Amino acid sequence: AAGVDTLVTIGTYPDSSREAVELARRFPSVYATVGIHPHSADQASEEAFAEIRELIREPRVVGLGETGLDYFYDNSPREAQRWSFLRHLEIARETGLPVVVHSRSADDDLRAILADEARGTVGVLHCFASGRAELDAALEAGWYVSFSGMITFKKYEGADLVRAVPADRILVETDSPYLAPVPHRGKTNEPAFVAFTAAKAAEMRGEDPAEFAAATARNTRAFYRLG
């Protein structure tokens, strides 16, 4: 009803990755990614990665992650986060699968990894909340940048960054169940609400909302190779 016809549900550890795959099996409009979130990187054992490698054989799996770096909460040791992130990139190079990347308060290491380790991969900086240097590093690596409902918040100050992403590299997302956009801020987020984020991004970029929505849908299909 909201105009959303396809979605990708994101794995954050083998358990949730299995659940994501099961949802994708059940619903033809749903695809899945599988991976280990930086919060759980201290559990990113060889056995865990063996299971991730098994899950990527599933035909409904279209990406790796969510992986990346989170130095804000530091729920896992930073070295473990970096090691896990690099393992995801290694698998991405082997398989050609795109990578969904979370980054918070880790800009220096993120830029270094994009410059030194991203060759041969395609990824997206999801729920982008870093600065221009990180955005430029992602674009230089050939990656995509995705914006969430936070761009609709009154105190959001990154409109120039939303405008800076080329038309063929920008994505929008929910980050469900978090960051519900205005007018649903504070509620549990859901895929239908991405329409509000897309409309706000189009406004910031001075573009027609319907055309922007169509462009980001094409970008998403290209990124995940959905056809």
Side-chain angles (χ1 to χ4, degrees), residues 8-12 16-18 20-21 31-35 60-66 98 100 224:
V8 179
T9 188
I10 306 296
T12 55
S16 68
S17 293
R18 286 193 298 271
V21 170
Y31 295 87
T33 72
V34 297
R60 304 290 294 178
V61 171
V62 295
L64 290 160
E66 179 175 340
V100 179
Y224 288 113

Side-chain angles (χ1 to χ4, degrees), residues 11 14 26 32 65 73 99 116 153 166 177 183 207:
R26 289 172 55 198
Y73 287 109
V99 186
D116 300 334
F153 299 170
E207 298 178 14

Side-chain angles (χ1 to χ4, degrees), residues 8 10-12 33 37-39 64-70 85 99-104 110 114 123-130 134 138 143-151 169-179 189 223-224:
V8 179
I10 306 296
T12 55
T33 72
H37 193 282
H39 288 341
L64 290 160
E66 179 175 340
T67 182
L69 306 169
D70 193 312
F85 188 6
V99 186
V100 179
V101 173
H102 167 108
S103 179
R104 188 169 185 187
L110 174 66
L114 286 171
V124 59
L125 297 186
H126 106 94
C127 194
F128 187 77
S130 295
E134 292 69 44
W143 283 25
Y144 291 67
V145 179
S146 182
F147 295 94
S148 69
M150 71 171 65
I151 71 170
R169 300 274 198 88
I170 189 169
L171 304 180
V172 289
E173 63 177 277
T174 56
D175 198 28
S176 293
Y178 310 110
L179 298 176
N189 206 354
F223 177 75
Y224 288 113

